[in-house]
């Protein structure tokens, strides 16, 4: 997949089948759009492309929201490439771009800059200043602009449409299995192993503290069954998100105990896939109670069907 980081310097007029959106998490709803994009591009002999924005527009419009994302730009790029997108266009959501009206966006970006011949958008997609662009405007202008447009219906999970927001809500509630089903893969985090307080090693449960990208959403505080990948090797693990209240901690940390593992991995990049929720964060009466619960969690993790 080609990644075009600066749209202003893109001057290729290769005809495109294109979709537009944040595609945070590249969930099942996004995958439905991408599958149709790939099918159309093959049928019409067009290159497939996706126009996305970085940073997320909500960080511009609502900077106080402290929005956390399902995927970093690197993770999103990997997932989109994995699903067969040929071109990824990154558009900075700067002042000039955010002030384009719907009509200007269609004329200047879709037609003149990207030479779009077929456009696919999601069921609720809007664009342009004050959300002045939508499917109706696209249908109206498409014949004049020389492209076809189609809108893809949402994918449902239960009674609700799958969306990045729904998945973030599921993670924030500790509903890991629901989030994974909507994503169609296991939610993951990755980062460098850093030094912590090393309390775990004194009770027989040494943990690797993971430095997490500040943009990534973390699931609800608590304990989880996880896959751990270290130097391309797979291990079972139990991960804790919390402040270690039993030992009067007050700083949020992400720590993973890796089963059947005894190596120094400080400074190594590791990744973790969430498989199941064990329990919420607990303040135990003492270390003996903590160890007893860790023993229970270890048994559950050992017996988990990975």
């Amino acid at each position: 997949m080609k990644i075009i980081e600066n749209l202003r310097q893109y001057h290729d007029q290769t005809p495109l089948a294109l979709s537009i959106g944040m595609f945070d998490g590249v969930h099942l709803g996004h995958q439905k759009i991408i599958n149709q994009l790939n099918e159309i591009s093959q049928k019409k002999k067009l290159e497939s492309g996706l126009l996305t924005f970085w940073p997320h527009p909500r960080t511009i419009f609502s900077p106080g929201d402290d929005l956390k994302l399902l995927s970093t730009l690197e993770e999103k790029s990997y997932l989109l490439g994995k699903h067969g997108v040929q071109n990824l266009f990154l558009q900075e959501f700067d002042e000039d771009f955010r002030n384009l009206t719907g009509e200007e966006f269609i004329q200047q970006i879709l037609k003149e800059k990207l030479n779009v011949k077929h456009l696919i958008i999601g069921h609720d997609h809007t664009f342009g200043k004050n959300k002045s662009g939508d499917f109706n405007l696209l249908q109206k202008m498409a014949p004049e602009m020389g492209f076809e447009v189609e809108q893809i219906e949402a994918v449902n999970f239960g009674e609700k449409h799958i969306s990045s927001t729904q998945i973030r809500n599921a993670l924030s509630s500790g509903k890991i299995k629901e989030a994974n089903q909507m994503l169609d893969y296991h939610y993951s985090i990755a980062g460098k192993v850093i030094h912590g307080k090393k309390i775990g090693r004194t009770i027989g449960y040494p943990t690797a503290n993971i430095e997490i990208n500040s943009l990534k959403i973390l699931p609800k505080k608590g304990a989880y069954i996880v896959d751990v990948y270290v130097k391309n090797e797979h291990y079972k693990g139990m991960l804790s998100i919390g402040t270690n209240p039993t030992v009067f901690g007050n700083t949020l940390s992400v720590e993973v105990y890796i089963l059947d593992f005894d190596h120094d991995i400080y400074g190594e990049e590791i990744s973790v896939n969430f498989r199941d929720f064990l329990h919420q964060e607990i303040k135990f009466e003492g270390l003996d109670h903590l160890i007893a619960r860790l023993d229970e969690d270890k048994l559950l993790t050992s017996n988990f069907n990975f």
Side-chain angles (χ1 to χ4, degrees):
M1 181 178 71
K2 289 187 292 185
I3 300 178
I4 296 86
E5 295 184 356
N6 188 338
L7 208 56
R8 290 188 179 91
Q9 295 178 4
Y10 178 75
H11 304 294
D12 194 337
Q13 283 294 294
T14 300
L16 292 176
L18 185 81
S19 187
I20 311 166
M22 273 307 300
F23 285 75
D24 184 30
V26 193
H27 56 62
L28 277 172
H30 297 143
Q31 291 171 37
K32 183 178 180 180
I33 293 173
I34 294 168
N35 290 340
Q36 179 66 2
L37 186 69
N38 290 337
E39 188 176 313
I40 289 294
S41 65
Q42 291 171 13
K43 182 179 177 181
K44 295 189 173 183
K45 295 181 171 55
L46 302 168
E47 283 199 16
S48 64
L50 195 147
L51 173 61
T52 193
F53 313 104
W54 198 265
H56 196 294
R58 270 179 57 187
T59 64
I60 307 297
F61 290 117
S62 305
D65 278 1
D66 191 29
L67 175 68
K68 301 296 184 183
L69 302 176
L70 299 171
S71 50
T72 64
L73 183 56
E74 181 181 10
E75 290 168 340
K76 179 163 64 174
S77 300
Y78 167 77
L79 289 166
L80 292 171
K82 179 181 174 182
H83 285 287
V85 176
Q86 292 173 286
N87 299 277
L88 177 62
F89 301 95
L90 303 179
Q91 173 61 52
E92 181 183 356
F93 212 76
D94 57 21
E95 198 68 24
D96 289 340
F97 187 81
R98 67 186 285 189
N99 282 320
L100 288 175
T101 65
E103 290 88 348
E104 289 169 339
F105 176 82
I106 293 170
Q107 173 75 42
Q108 296 176 26
I109 304 299
L110 299 185
K111 183 179 188 299
E112 297 173 4
K113 175 61 72 173
L114 295 177
N115 193 21
V116 173
K117 297 302 179 185
H118 195 105
L119 182 69
I120 300 174
I121 63 170
H123 69 102
D124 58 353
H125 186 73
T126 58
F127 56 92
K129 188 175 182 179
N130 300 322
K131 299 184 178 180
S132 54
D134 57 14
F135 184 58
N136 291 331
L137 180 63
L138 285 165
Q139 283 183 307
K140 178 182 175 182
M141 294 184 65
E144 177 189 349
M145 295 294 109
F147 62 80
E148 294 182 74
V149 60
E150 63 179 300
Q151 191 173 43
I152 301 295
E153 290 302 311
V155 176
N156 287 342
F157 181 78
E159 298 179 355
K160 295 181 179 179
H161 296 330
I162 292 178
S163 68
S164 301
T165 299
Q166 287 290 352
I167 297 169
R168 291 187 203 109
N169 290 342
L171 291 171
S172 296
S173 302
K175 297 175 181 177
I176 291 299
K177 288 186 175 180
E178 284 188 19
N180 288 344
Q181 284 178 274
M182 289 188 279
L183 288 166
D184 197 37
Y185 60 87
H186 300 118
Y187 184 68
S188 68
I189 56 175
K192 185 187 295 185
V193 177
I194 58 176
H195 290 276
K197 295 181 178 179
K198 300 180 174 62
I199 294 171
R201 66 174 58 184
T202 67
I203 57 174
Y205 282 94
T207 59
N209 285 53
I210 310 173
E211 186 177 45
I212 305 299
N213 188 308
S214 61
L215 290 176
K216 283 279 284 188
I217 186 170
L218 287 173
K220 176 183 178 179
K221 288 181 183 179
Y224 297 85
I225 296 174
V226 297
D227 293 291
V228 186
Y229 292 90
V230 183
K231 297 180 179 178
N232 296 318
E233 294 290 331
H234 171 253
Y235 302 89
K236 295 181 179 182
M238 33 201 266
L239 179 138
S240 168
I241 300 172
T243 58
N244 299 309
T246 304
V247 292
F248 306 103
N250 54 19
T251 303
L252 186 73
S253 64
V254 180
E255 305 175 39
V256 61
Y257 170 74
I258 308 172
L259 277 66
D260 303 314
F261 186 85
D262 185 21
H263 300 284
D264 183 349
I265 53 172
Y266 286 116
E268 295 285 349
E269 291 281 335
I270 69 173
S271 62
V272 171
N273 293 348
F274 289 84
R275 301 299 293 266
D276 206 355
F277 181 67
L278 283 166
H279 56 78
Q280 63 186 5
E281 184 176 47
I282 303 170
K283 182 175 182 178
F284 295 95
E285 293 180 6
L287 290 180
D288 289 345
H289 292 86
L290 170 61
I291 293 168
R293 189 54 186 259
L294 287 170
D295 290 342
E296 291 179 31
D297 291 349
K298 183 177 180 180
L299 183 60
L300 290 169
T301 304
S302 297
N303 294 331
F304 186 80
N305 185 20
F306 280 77

